[in-house]
Amino acid sequence: DKRHGPRTVGLAQCTPDNMLSLLALTAALASRSAVTPSYLRLRGGDVDTVTNGMALLQVASGTFAFMAPERNIEMYGYDKEPTKVEVAMMRYLAVGQVVLGATSVAGLEGGSKAAQAMSLSGGAASLLACAPVFEALGGPKEPLAAWIAALAVLGKATRAGKVKSVVPGTVLGGIAAAQALVAPDKTWEAYKNKLPATEMALALFSLAGGNLLANTAYVAVADKQGHKKGLCAGLALLAANCVKFAVLDATRVGFKPAGAFVWGAITAAGALALKA
């Protein structure tokens, strides 16, 4: 019986089924009215169409990258065999995309508090889903456990109405995003991972930080100015993050920049459609 044999801790434990279950669970928890499976359907109206269309792209892209990280890396022009660390960072980037897409839909359906709950609970669940990935890198478990606990507790309190402000979640999201975006190498060292990070892994880590910053900005702006303006701000930051990766990182670490430019153009078009 395999259940009683040696347990292997590695990337394979973060299965596609777990990822899809995570998406369904966090979507259900985010709004008291529950986000039904119809959240991926394009509906009438500019805001609805842009929200659901962008969410569909993020969730589909993230799910594929999580299921087949090596293939996803290859599709962006990387012609070497990726290391364990590079695959781990691609999967980390992928789960962030899924949460990003689901957060915007939660905001459309239930307002900024639902979006905040989704962002927090989804962040906790995605870190938990990738715990075996990070454990295989040889770092200590305590920092990851602390992040999961903080996000889960705050997400639950937000859903229950005990935390009425988005400021605590914005602060947590801003800290995590800034760490990865501005100083991915120092952050990697701070978490004491035993496996060294390659330049490509650090670039993906920074890209994930930029995506998290965009998600955090969406929630913060939506809370003050409504979903449409929040989504516009979030998409604009996503576009800037993609262009930054294409110009500064892609060629340097072995990717072809075209893919990042395409993502930048798509998200910029979404932001412009909301401003029109």
Side-chain angles (χ1 to χ4, degrees):
D1 187 343
K2 293 182 180 179
R3 291 175 297 178
H4 300 291
R7 184 179 179 185
T8 300
V9 177
L11 297 175
Q13 288 175 285
C14 287
T15 65
D17 288 343
N18 288 341
M19 189 66 251
L20 295 177
S21 297
L22 160 66
L23 174 62
L25 175 62
T26 52
L29 290 175
S31 172
R32 292 180 181 178
S33 62
V35 181
T36 65
S38 65
Y39 69 84
L40 290 180
R41 187 174 62 239
L42 296 182
R43 300 179 303 176
D46 290 341
V47 177
D48 285 5
T49 300
V50 172
T51 301
N52 286 285
M54 291 297 168
L56 174 61
L57 288 174
Q58 292 290 347
V59 171
S61 176
T63 300
F64 175 79
F66 189 87
M67 292 171 65
E70 295 92 343
R71 175 59 179 151
N72 197 63
I73 289 171
E74 181 185 351
M75 287 173 62
Y76 283 93
Y78 195 73
D79 58 4
K80 302 176 184 177
E81 183 177 352
T83 67
K84 181 183 293 187
V85 176
E86 290 166 350
V87 170
M89 286 301 98
M90 177 54 75
R91 274 191 158 139
Y92 175 61
L93 175 64
V95 293
Q97 282 187 277
V98 174
V99 175
L100 193 155
T103 297
S104 64
V105 174
L108 175 67
E109 299 285 345
S112 61
K113 299 303 184 295
Q116 181 73 296
M118 167 64 81
S119 179
L120 293 166
S121 298
S126 64
L127 287 177
L128 184 61
C130 279
V133 173
F134 297 135
E135 188 174 357
L137 302 181
K141 300 177 183 178
E142 291 79 7
L144 178 62
W147 272 109
I148 292 172
L151 292 171
V153 169
L154 190 53
K156 182 177 181 180
T158 301
R159 289 196 308 276
K162 296 179 180 179
V163 175
K164 301 184 183 301
S165 172
V166 301
V167 172
T170 300
V171 170
L172 278 180
I175 291 172
Q179 286 181 330
L181 177 62
V182 178
D185 52 344
K186 299 299 183 183
T187 304
W188 187 268
E189 293 173 4
Y191 284 110
K192 302 185 185 303
N193 293 299
K194 293 181 180 179
L195 294 183
T198 64
E199 288 298 312
M200 190 259 268
L202 292 175
L204 293 177
F205 190 26
S206 179
L207 184 62
N211 285 355
L212 176 57
L213 179 63
N215 203 36
T216 303
Y218 156 65
V219 175
V221 175
D223 186 59
K224 299 296 184 182
Q225 302 183 48
H227 171 77
K228 182 178 180 179
K229 289 186 177 180
L231 184 59
C232 184
L235 289 174
L237 283 176
L238 279 178
N241 192 40
C242 291
V243 172
K244 172 258 182 190
F245 183 84
V247 173
L248 300 180
D249 297 327
T251 302
R252 176 176 60 84
V253 302
F255 286 113
K256 293 181 179 179
F261 277 125
V262 169
W263 269 107
I266 292 172
T267 48
L272 290 172
L274 293 174
K275 285 184 69 66

